[in-house]
């Protein structure tokens, strides 16, 4: 059962953990491992409580000198009654390896059959590895030792030492929350470097990857070390506190659920970040951003940790903001805020449109499962945007002073939002609580638009007569609007020339812009042009109509990114015909230069075609995208990042199978993609979607036996538009006994819905509603949420589908993770149905 906040408060009042000693033996078998835990803790009274423990079998429990019955452990809890004062609890148990990315995950690399293990204990998986008081405010230092096969390497939160015969010991850590503890073990290959600070501080840096990815690690480690050193220097200077956790290890692990996890001293990353084949600048920026994000957590999140999960957003918002700031200020990726605008903000805007939207802060989190459901684009992108607005409002110098005070005051401990705001108020002398109430404690998006009236000047040219920035606010929980202030820029563009630009501070629903009176009437009027605030930018009808010709001529990439985000919103809200988005792409993509905009505008447009464009028009719109991508490929420098992005778009959308069949077979590949197996897999999957495979799947599967190749093969096989393929794929995806990992099920889900008409796919609506929720217990909630999202039947967008989903959501038969995914995807289904109603089905 999940730990409730009330239980956590009571246990924190009772218990203070002095130390944790954990011994793990990973050599017993492939399904389980042995775990011994010694917890030294102090109790304020002899009051019954419990230890969290999710074991396969509990062998011994001893509290001080008393032997307890192991059978007392049930439902993930071991009841104990400590004596007042100092206690020692020893638990020996057999624990389960997982294959869903939670707990101690075990994976076999199909490239060489090597086994890899890593610990991912967020949010409540620590009891699957060792006995503990599993809540973030009961921190303790850890002593961890691990026995592994002789050829394996071990690392974790403490500096690793190999003692011989497969026995490894990790140095005693600083106080850590349970969810930050990790152990990574296997025949990893490693590369080393070091960071040296301005006062002679030295931090060893180590990067690890699977043995089958050694060539990729060798080629890419120098760039990653450079970003790591640059960010460490930046954060060291900005925060005024030395990096606090010994060596700094970064481990690229297989089948990881998230992008990365900020385990102190031992960050784990999904190993897709060790890129195969050609690497675009957008990919490098994305990985560099993740490196910076996890490093920012070393101070904000790890050094100072939330008391409870309701403040987890602050960790992520802060790291999200700091990562982009560090890239812009300290690395070559000065365009990072452009990437934020087109990659991150639309994710958060989509979460705000969903019925599951919630405030950035203060969302109820009565237990861990509930908190996990609010861990989304609002926590990351909206929170980071709110921090940008806070800085604009209070000044950067005061913000940095407040951050330093917060980190210093609560080092190695826990803190709340109130603590953070207290430091901000002390540093700035402003009413930060009022700002927080408006920005952090209410859900929903403000809508910003510009109203112009026009007249003719003395020469008969149209000029602005009046200009007003209009703010439409969402209603608060009790019907009161949050009254969020905004600092933003309004800009007018005509044929690539900036007609005018004005900075605006918005504190009311209508803000007059007298500076624009008498100025030329532009073809394109852009609210929030610098993309500094969090709001839906509502373009006027004339601006929407002229976007296909005007957006490609806008010279500011930040404004172009913001306009693409506005287009995604407009299509989702049925304010823009989805075919108009395709028309915009057809004009903009051939001349776009920013790598992030190229990547994301392609992804969003392909998604719109697959979801929103009427079925009868899809082939013609795919043809328009293919033509635009070929134009960009022809104009790009051969072998450039831009050329690769264009070719990848073609491989995903080609209308004629013969146009990409040579690529799938490894022939006639664009320059720089000759060794790019992932590119070839794109072509194979497209052939599968077209029902045009002719041995390419088998050929490619034999050529690429890697973990990525195996997943791509599953996706391509599931993408074939025939009854036999769909029936097989669904059985593997949704079967409780299929044994498929979380990654395999995700790949199957992505392929399954990529092809097939309504007649073929309609029967799987009911199967989704019955069989995916039944995977609860087979997969952890974090992994199951992703499966439930990807497997949702958006490709059967009918009223009957909506009604069937609503009927399930009206009951109480699904777990919180599945419910949240279904609610969010039901919202997207509603957007599709509204677009169909307005623009045609």
């Amino acid at each position: 059962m999940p730990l409730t906040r009330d239980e956590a408060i009571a246990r924190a009042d009772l218990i203070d953990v002095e130390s944790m000693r954990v011994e793990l033996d990973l050599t017993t078998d492939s399904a389980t491992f042995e775990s011994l835990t010694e917890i030294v803790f102090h109790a304020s009274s002899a009051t019954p409580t419990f230890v969290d423990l999710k074991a396969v079998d509990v062998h011994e429990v001893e509290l001080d000198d008393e032997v307890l019955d192991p059978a007392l452990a049930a439902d993930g809890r071991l009841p104990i009654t400590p004596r007042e004062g100092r206690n020692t609890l020893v638990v020996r148990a057999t624990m389960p390896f997982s294959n869903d990315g939670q707990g101690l995950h075990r994976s076999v690399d199909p490239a060489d059959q090597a086994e890899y293990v890593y610990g991912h204990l967020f949010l409540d998986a620590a009891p699957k590895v060792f006995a503990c008081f599993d809540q973030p405010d009961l921190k303790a230092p850890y002593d961890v030792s691990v026995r592994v096969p002789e050829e394996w390497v071990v690392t974790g939160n403490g500096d690793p030492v190999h003692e011989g015969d497969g026995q490894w010991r990790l140095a005693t850590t600083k106080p850590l929350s349970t969810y930050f503890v990790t152990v990574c073990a296997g025949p990893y290959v490693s590369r080393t470097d070091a960071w040296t600070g301005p006062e002679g501080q030295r931090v060893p840096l180590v990067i690890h990857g699977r043995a089958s990815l050694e060539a990729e690690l060798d080629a890419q480690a120098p760039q990653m070390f450079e970003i790591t050193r640059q960010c460490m220097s930046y954060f060291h200077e900005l925060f005024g506190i030395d990096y606090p956790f010994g060596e700094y290890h970064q481990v690229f692990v297989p089948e990881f659920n998230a992008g990365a996890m900020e385990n102190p001293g031992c960050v784990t990353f999904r190993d897709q970040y060790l890129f195969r084949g050609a690497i675009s600048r957008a990919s490098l920026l994305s990985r560099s951003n993740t490196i910076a994000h996890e490093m920012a957590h070393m101070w904000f999140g790890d050094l100072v940790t939330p008391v409870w999960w309701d403040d987890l957003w602050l960790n992520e918002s802060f790291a999200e903001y700091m990562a982009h700031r560090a890239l812009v200020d300290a690395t070559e990726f000065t365009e990072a805020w452009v990437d934020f605008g087109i990659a991150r903000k639309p994710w958060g805007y989509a979460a705000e449109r969903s019925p599951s939207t919630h405030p950035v802060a203060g969302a109820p989190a009565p237990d861990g499962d509930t908190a996990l459901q609010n861990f989304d684009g609002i926590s990351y992108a909206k929170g980071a945007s709110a921090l940008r607005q806070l800085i604009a409002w209070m000044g950067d110098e005061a913000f940095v002073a407040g951050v330093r005070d917060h980190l210093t005051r609560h080092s190695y401990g826990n803190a709340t939002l109130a603590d953070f705001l207290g430091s901000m108020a002390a540093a700035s002398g402003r009413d930060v609580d009022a700002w927080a109430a408006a920005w952090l404690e209410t859900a929903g998006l403000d809508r910003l638009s510009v109203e112009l009236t026009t007249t003719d000047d003395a020469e008969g040219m149209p000029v602005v007569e009046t200009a007003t920035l209009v703010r439409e606010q969402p209603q608060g929980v009790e019907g009161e609007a949050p009254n969020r202030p905004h600092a933003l820029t309004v800009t007018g563009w005509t044929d690539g020339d900036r007609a005018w630009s004005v900075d605006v501070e918005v504190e009311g629903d209508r803000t007059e812009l007298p500076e624009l009176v008498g100025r030329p009437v532009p073809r394109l009027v852009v609210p929030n042009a610098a993309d500094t605030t969090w709001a839906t930018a509502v373009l006027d009808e004339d601006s929407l109509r002229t976007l296909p010709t005007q957006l490609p001529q806008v010279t500011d990439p930040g404004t172009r990114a913001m306009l693409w985000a506005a287009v995604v919103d407009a299509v989702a809200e049925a304010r823009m015909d989805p075919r108009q988005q395709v028309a915009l792409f057809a004009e903009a993509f051939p001349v776009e230069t920013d790598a992030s905009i190229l990547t994301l505008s392609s992804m969003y447009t392909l998604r719109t075609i697959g979801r929103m464009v009427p079925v009868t028009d899809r082939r013609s719109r795919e043809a328009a995208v293919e033509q635009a991508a070929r134009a960009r490929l022809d104009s790009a420098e051969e072998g450039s990042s831009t050329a690769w992005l264009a070719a990848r778009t073609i491989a995903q959308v080609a209308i004629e199978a013969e146009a990409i069949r040579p690529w799938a077979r490894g022939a006639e590949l664009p320059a720089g993609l000759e060794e790019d197996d992932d590119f070839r897999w794109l072509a194979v999957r497209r052939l599968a979607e077209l029902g045009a495979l002719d041995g390419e799947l088998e050929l490619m599967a034999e050529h690429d036996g890697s973990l990525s190749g195996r997943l791509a093969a599953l996706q391509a096989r599931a993408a074939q538009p025939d009854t036999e393929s769909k029936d097989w794929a669904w059985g593997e995806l949704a079967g409780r006994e299929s044994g498929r990992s979380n990654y395999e099920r995700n790949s199957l889900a992505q392929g399954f819905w990529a092809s097939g008409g309504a007649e073929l796919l309609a029967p799987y609506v009911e199967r989704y509603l019955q069989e995916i929720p039944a995977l609860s217990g087979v997969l952890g909630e974090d992994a199951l949420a992703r499966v439930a999202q990807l497997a949702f039947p958006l490709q059967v967008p009918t009223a009957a589908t909506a009604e069937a989903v609503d009927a399930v959501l009206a009951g109480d038969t699904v777990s919180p993770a599945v419910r949240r995914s279904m609610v969010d995807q039901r919202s997207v289904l509603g957007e599709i149905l509204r677009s169909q109603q307005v623009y045609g089905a």
Side-chain angles (χ1 to χ4, degrees):
M1 63 183 71
L3 178 72
T4 69
R5 181 171 189 169
D6 289 343
E7 289 174 325
I9 291 172
R11 195 161 63 173
D13 286 341
L14 175 67
I15 298 297
D16 180 34
V17 185
E18 178 182 313
S19 66
M20 295 283 296
R21 180 171 65 87
V22 177
E23 296 181 1
L24 303 177
D25 185 347
L26 310 186
T27 65
T28 53
D29 63 57
S30 61
T32 62
F33 60 95
E34 299 305 309
S35 171
L36 185 145
T37 312
E38 180 187 84
I39 309 174
V40 179
F41 65 97
H42 296 259
S44 59
S45 65
T47 301
T49 186
F50 60 90
V51 170
D52 300 288
L53 179 63
K54 301 174 183 178
V56 173
D57 190 15
V58 182
H59 307 298
E60 296 178 8
V61 179
E62 184 175 319
L63 180 59
D64 296 318
D65 297 326
E66 181 182 359
V67 176
L68 305 184
D69 182 0
L72 293 172
D75 295 324
R77 296 182 173 186
L78 171 66
I80 61 171
T81 302
R83 63 190 178 193
E84 183 177 347
R86 194 171 188 264
N87 295 259
T88 300
L89 175 70
V90 178
V91 178
R92 188 171 67 84
T94 298
M95 299 295 201
F97 283 119
S98 78
N99 73 340
D100 65 358
Q102 295 173 254
L104 206 56
H105 181 98
R106 176 184 173 275
S107 178
V108 178
D109 188 343
D112 55 12
Q113 300 305 305
E115 298 179 33
Y116 293 90
V117 170
Y118 66 87
H120 183 64
L121 307 193
F122 178 83
L123 174 147
D124 59 355
K128 296 181 180 180
V129 180
F130 49 84
C132 57
F133 299 106
D134 190 26
Q135 58 191 76
D137 58 341
L138 288 179
K139 285 185 166 183
Y142 280 75
D143 284 285
V144 177
S145 60
V146 189
R147 178 170 293 281
V148 296
E150 179 60 33
E151 67 275 14
W152 283 19
V153 171
V154 174
T155 191
N157 307 100
D159 300 350
V161 175
H162 186 201
E163 298 180 331
D165 297 326
Q167 185 67 41
W168 290 73
R169 186 169 302 279
L170 307 179
T172 303
T173 70
K174 298 292 187 180
L176 304 180
S177 297
T178 48
Y179 78 97
F180 286 139
V181 178
T182 192
V183 167
C184 300
Y188 287 101
V189 291
S190 308
R191 299 296 179 265
T192 61
D193 205 311
W195 170 81
T196 303
E199 299 176 4
Q201 306 96 325
R202 186 179 186 279
V203 175
L205 308 177
V206 191
I207 298 177
H208 310 265
R210 284 184 284 132
S212 63
L213 293 173
E214 184 169 15
E216 287 81 357
L217 180 63
D218 275 333
Q220 298 168 48
Q223 189 270 343
M224 291 188 284
F225 279 131
E226 179 181 23
I227 292 294
T228 301
R229 290 192 301 269
Q230 289 170 331
C231 290
M232 189 163 283
S233 293
Y234 183 77
F235 292 139
H236 176 274
E237 180 178 356
L238 188 70
F239 301 146
I241 298 173
D242 287 354
Y243 165 71
F245 295 111
E247 297 178 1
Y248 194 71
H249 292 248
Q250 298 176 94
V251 190
F252 291 82
V253 300
E255 300 180 326
F256 196 67
N257 281 333
M261 178 64 195
E262 66 270 20
N263 312 302
C266 187
V267 178
T268 43
F269 296 82
R270 57 167 50 208
D271 64 8
Q272 290 94 328
Y273 274 133
L274 284 178
F275 303 116
R276 308 193 315 163
I279 308 173
S280 70
R281 183 171 179 84
S283 295
L284 282 178
L285 191 160
S286 177
R287 182 177 68 194
S288 299
N289 181 274
T290 304
I291 290 172
H293 179 108
E294 304 310 323
M295 184 177 289
H297 273 309
M298 295 298 123
W299 286 266
F300 211 105
D302 296 3
L303 180 65
V304 179
T305 307
V307 171
W308 182 245
W309 303 115
D310 54 353
D311 280 337
L312 187 62
W313 70 271
L314 187 54
N315 281 13
E316 300 306 336
S317 299
F318 185 88
E320 180 90 350
Y321 167 75
M322 279 297 169
H324 290 84
R325 174 174 176 150
L327 289 189
V328 170
D329 290 351
T331 79
E332 66 174 290
F333 296 105
T334 55
E335 74 274 29
W337 285 119
V338 176
D339 185 74
F340 179 77
I342 195 168
R344 306 297 280 179
K345 292 182 84 170
W347 173 40
Y349 289 159
E352 288 271 53
R353 292 195 301 269
S354 172
S356 64
T357 186
H358 55 88
V360 176
D367 56 49
D369 284 352
T370 306
L372 189 61
Q373 308 320 307
N374 290 333
F375 198 58
D376 55 19
I378 294 172
S379 306
Y380 286 77
K382 183 178 182 179
S385 296
L387 289 178
R388 293 183 79 186
Q389 284 292 297
L390 174 63
I391 293 166
W393 178 71
M394 68 184 290
D396 190 66
E397 184 176 343
F399 174 75
V400 172
V403 169
R404 288 186 172 195
D405 177 72
H406 180 74
L407 294 176
T408 301
R409 189 182 299 272
H410 303 287
S411 288
Y412 302 109
N414 299 81
T416 65
L417 171 61
D419 294 323
F420 176 75
L421 295 178
S423 291
M424 292 294 113
S428 66
R430 303 194 67 171
D431 184 5
V432 179
D433 288 338
W435 175 91
W439 268 103
L440 303 180
E441 297 173 11
T442 56
L445 280 162
D446 288 357
R447 302 168 68 83
L448 301 177
S449 59
V450 179
E451 290 182 359
L452 296 182
T453 64
T454 64
T455 187
D456 290 341
D457 65 11
E459 300 178 358
M461 300 297 293
V463 295
V464 176
E465 183 177 32
T466 65
T468 306
L469 192 288
V470 179
R471 180 191 66 179
E472 180 184 348
Q473 302 179 79
Q475 292 299 304
V477 175
E478 299 180 358
E480 295 184 4
N483 194 29
R484 299 186 186 105
H486 296 270
L488 56 93
T489 302
V490 178
T491 304
W493 290 85
T494 297
D495 298 333
D497 291 328
R498 201 187 314 254
W500 39 256
S501 183
V502 57
D503 294 331
V504 187
E505 291 191 5
V506 176
E507 295 185 354
D509 289 341
R510 297 183 66 85
T511 304
E512 301 302 321
L513 308 176
E515 306 96 323
L516 300 185
V517 174
R519 305 296 298 274
V521 177
R523 301 287 302 281
L524 179 63
V525 179
V526 187
N528 192 27
D531 202 20
T532 53
T533 196
W534 181 263
T536 298
V538 180
L539 303 182
D540 62 77
E541 291 185 5
D542 289 340
S543 293
L544 274 177
R545 186 171 54 253
T546 63
L547 264 182
T549 58
Q550 293 300 309
L551 184 149
Q553 299 183 74
V554 171
T555 57
D556 183 346
T559 300
R560 296 200 304 276
M562 174 264 150
L563 285 168
W564 271 108
V567 165
V568 171
D569 281 343
V571 170
E573 295 178 347
R575 292 185 285 106
M576 182 177 183
D577 190 326
R579 289 164 290 201
Q580 190 179 4
Q581 179 182 344
V582 181
L584 169 62
F585 180 89
E587 295 292 333
F589 193 81
V591 296
E592 181 56 64
T593 56
D594 183 87
S596 295
I597 299 176
L598 281 166
T599 302
L600 275 299
S601 65
S602 174
M603 186 190 81
Y604 295 145
T605 302
L606 292 178
R607 186 176 67 188
T608 291
I609 292 174
R611 292 180 180 177
M612 299 288 202
V613 169
V615 173
T616 54
D617 283 350
R618 287 184 182 175
R619 278 291 182 262
S620 65
R621 306 303 158 172
E622 288 176 337
V625 169
E626 181 182 4
Q627 183 178 357
R630 289 193 182 279
R632 194 68 188 95
L633 179 61
D634 290 343
S635 65
E637 180 183 351
E638 187 177 61
S640 66
S641 177
T642 298
W644 300 334
L645 291 170
R648 286 168 179 157
T649 300
I650 295 168
Q652 294 175 79
V653 79
I655 299 300
E656 299 296 332
E658 298 311 313
I660 58 171
R661 195 179 302 280
W663 290 354
R665 291 179 170 271
E668 303 174 21
L669 292 161
L673 298 176
E674 295 90 350
E675 304 298 325
D676 194 323
D677 288 342
D678 290 336
F679 175 71
R680 289 181 60 186
W681 276 116
L682 290 177
V684 171
R685 172 178 153 158
R686 182 58 177 172
L687 291 176
E689 293 171 8
L690 296 171
L693 284 171
D694 185 18
E696 289 82 11
L697 175 55
E698 293 77 12
L699 178 69
M700 193 61 197
E702 182 178 354
H703 167 74
D704 180 15
S706 67
L707 178 58
S708 295
R710 183 177 68 185
L711 297 172
L714 287 173
Q715 190 173 134
R717 184 175 175 185
Q720 297 175 96
D722 61 79
T723 301
E724 181 182 356
S725 296
K726 296 303 182 191
D727 189 57
W728 169 84
W730 192 263
E732 297 297 305
L733 160 64
R736 287 182 60 87
E737 306 302 326
S738 73
R740 294 293 186 181
S741 71
N742 57 317
Y743 262 51
E744 290 172 327
R745 294 179 197 265
N746 291 344
S747 293
L748 287 160
Q750 289 171 302
F752 184 89
W753 296 109
S755 68
E759 183 177 348
L760 177 61
L761 298 176
Y764 292 96
V765 174
E766 190 61 33
R767 293 191 66 177
Y768 169 87
L769 295 172
Q770 292 179 359
E771 297 172 24
I772 295 301
L775 291 174
S776 185
V778 176
L779 298 175
E781 289 290 282
D782 192 19
L784 181 55
R786 180 65 171 161
V787 172
Q789 176 194 18
L790 293 173
F792 190 91
L794 289 175
Q795 294 305 317
V796 189
T798 65
T801 300
E803 291 168 3
V805 174
D806 290 343
V808 171
L809 290 175
D812 58 359
T813 60
V814 299
S815 70
V818 174
R819 174 175 294 277
R820 171 60 187 269
S821 291
M822 288 177 65
V823 166
D824 288 348
Q825 293 300 80
R826 171 62 179 87
S827 177
V828 175
L829 177 61
E831 293 172 354
I832 296 170
L833 293 173
R834 286 191 294 273
S835 183
Q836 288 180 350
Q837 184 177 12
V838 175
Y839 300 110

